[in-house]
Amino acid sequence: MKPLISVIAIGAFSLSINIDKNVLANNLANTCKYDAASKVNPDYSTMNCLLTETALSYDVPPEIVKAIAEGESGNWRHFDKNGEVIVTADNGIGIMQITNQAGYNQDRLKNDIVYNIQAGVATLDAMFKRKDLPRINGGERDVLEHWYFAIMAYNGTKPVNSPIVQATGERNTNAYQERILGIINKMELIDLTELPFSREHFQYDSNSKENMKFSTMNYDFDLPLTKSKYYFKSNQKVSAKTNVTFRTRPTTDSPSLGTLREGEIVTITGPFEYEKVSTKKNHFVWYPVKRSDGTEGYVASSYLNYSASTPTPTPPVTPPTTGNVDVSKFADYNANQYWAEDFKWAVNIGIISGYPNVKNPSTGKYESLLKPYTNLTENQMLSILLRYFKPTELALTVAKTSWYGDVNYQLATKYALPVLGANTASKQAIAGKDITRGNFARILASMHYGKTISQSEAIKFLRDNGLTTTKTNEEFKPDDSLARAHTVAFFHRYEQIFNN
């Protein structure tokens, strides 16, 4: 499927490339030592440089720009073997497949690779700034998953690009943005987090060519998301996200200096460099680093993480306090549901909160919601558990790294809770996955007894103390995901039985 990028007007924004942009294009060509008049595809290292430097000049993560170029051109190609620009049947031009763009010089789009790349990156930047597209979390530009809807819009917000197939509720792996993110996973050697969208978030007629309508404009995902690897600075401490070979030069063809172990802290000693073997097609770059023993060498950017030594400031946690919150303000609160009193109690003691100003799929209005049937991740459940059992300690514990689950898992380790996630490269993603009822039972019972409890013992604990009305382990459904309503019901019963 080829992209069709429409003529777009976004306020006063113009996609024209003015004199300043022409200067930038010339500077980029000089930086990457590329002769724009050559009318040949540059080697892979030079193309990597052109795509990366252009992306950074617009403050766009290079991982995304390089993946789009890969998806559009097939192999970072602009010219065919005869030196003619590649133009597709729908008039997509060159490496970024620019189509129907006003304000651009069509001849330069065809004959100047740098100009073509700039047009694509400027378009992508404009998509990220659109106010009619959903926003993910805080919308930080250096977080790759935050660009999900901008990537979609680069190709078009048509039904074909819905993240979820409306008819089946399954993930639409053929959606443009899903394929681009898949390229990042494969070529940058990065494991991006799959964002848990639902079919009700996207309204469309599958037989229509009209744009989709978005029922949710602000997503707040408590998930381990991925920061771009292109913003490390000299003298910054970073860590190896897995065991990785330490090289003498910025290429896998160079000798090994040994292995950096998972979690090992190294220091960035200079700007990143491109692959030295020009025929090797790598999307990633190489950073010069120094080990604690003074040994210097190179590591591929894909294998470096932001280190505990340079954490992102984390806002303090406020201990829960009792209050008099009117839960009827939540549009999906129902006083006739089994969980009504449980949510009222949980919200008022501060162990759980609702979602303010989100689009209600039932009414189409932006309202506050409780979302009682939404599943909890392990990290979200730990937040509730620690607010209930250890509110002061939770508030006073300082994060040691920039990872969002740092404090929760520090305390989980301290109290020997049988969690599946952890603050390691291989287990951070688990913290953002749904927790099962069985694992929840283990963690709750282990906190109660002060020692690790098996799943069978934990379910028996719940049953013996009236925390569940199920009669057998099978009836408890330990492998099912834990919903928010289940969680507040369990904690409310615990409060009534043990603390009243």
Side-chain angles (χ1 to χ4, degrees), residues 151-165:
I151 299 171
M152 174 196 289
Y154 187 90
N155 183 259
T157 57
K158 302 298 182 183
V160 69
N161 286 332
S162 172
I164 306 296
V165 179

Side-chain angles (χ1 to χ4, degrees), residues 195-209:
L195 302 178
F197 298 115
S198 300
R199 75 172 94 186
E200 60 266 22
H201 294 165
F202 309 98
Q203 307 300 319
Y204 62 89
D205 178 352
S206 58
N207 296 316
S208 172
K209 293 184 179 180

Side-chain angles (χ1 to χ4, degrees), residues 24-177:
L24 176 60
N26 292 332
N27 290 341
L28 290 169
N30 292 334
T31 297
C32 299
K33 300 178 181 178
Y34 174 66
D35 179 5
S38 64
K39 297 193 69 173
V40 296
N41 293 314
D43 61 59
Y44 289 133
S45 290
T46 302
M47 186 64 89
N48 191 350
C49 178
L50 292 173
L51 292 166
T52 300
E53 299 297 334
T54 306
L56 290 173
S57 72
Y58 282 85
D59 194 23
V60 175
E63 293 96 332
I64 293 171
V65 172
K66 287 187 273 192
I68 287 177
E70 182 77 26
E72 298 292 0
S73 68
N75 197 24
W76 286 355
R77 295 179 305 134
H78 187 82
F79 299 108
D80 64 20
K81 62 183 179 181
N82 297 317
E84 298 296 326
V85 67
I86 298 171
V87 180
T88 58
D90 63 357
N91 294 317
I93 300 173
I95 186 169
M96 301 301 286
Q97 286 291 281
I98 305 301
T99 312
N100 294 344
Q101 290 288 20
Y104 283 106
N105 182 311
Q106 298 296 300
D107 287 336
R108 282 197 70 187
L109 284 174
K110 293 178 180 179
N111 298 314
D112 187 338
I113 291 179
V114 181
Y115 187 88
N116 189 286
I117 293 171
Q118 276 188 274
V121 177
T123 300
L124 183 62
D125 177 51
M127 298 303 100
F128 191 82
K129 294 174 180 175
R130 283 173 60 174
K131 302 301 183 183
D132 61 336
L133 294 176
R135 175 187 175 97
I136 296 172
N137 293 357
E140 292 83 2
R141 293 178 69 95
D142 62 342
V143 178
L144 302 184
E145 290 89 349
H146 288 180
W147 288 78
Y148 188 92
F149 290 101
I151 299 171
M152 174 196 289
Y154 187 90
N155 183 259
T157 57
K158 302 298 182 183
V160 69
N161 286 332
S162 172
I164 306 296
V165 179
Q166 195 176 65
T168 65
E170 296 177 347
R171 195 79 179 191
N172 181 11
T173 56
N174 289 321
Y176 179 80
Q177 67 279 3

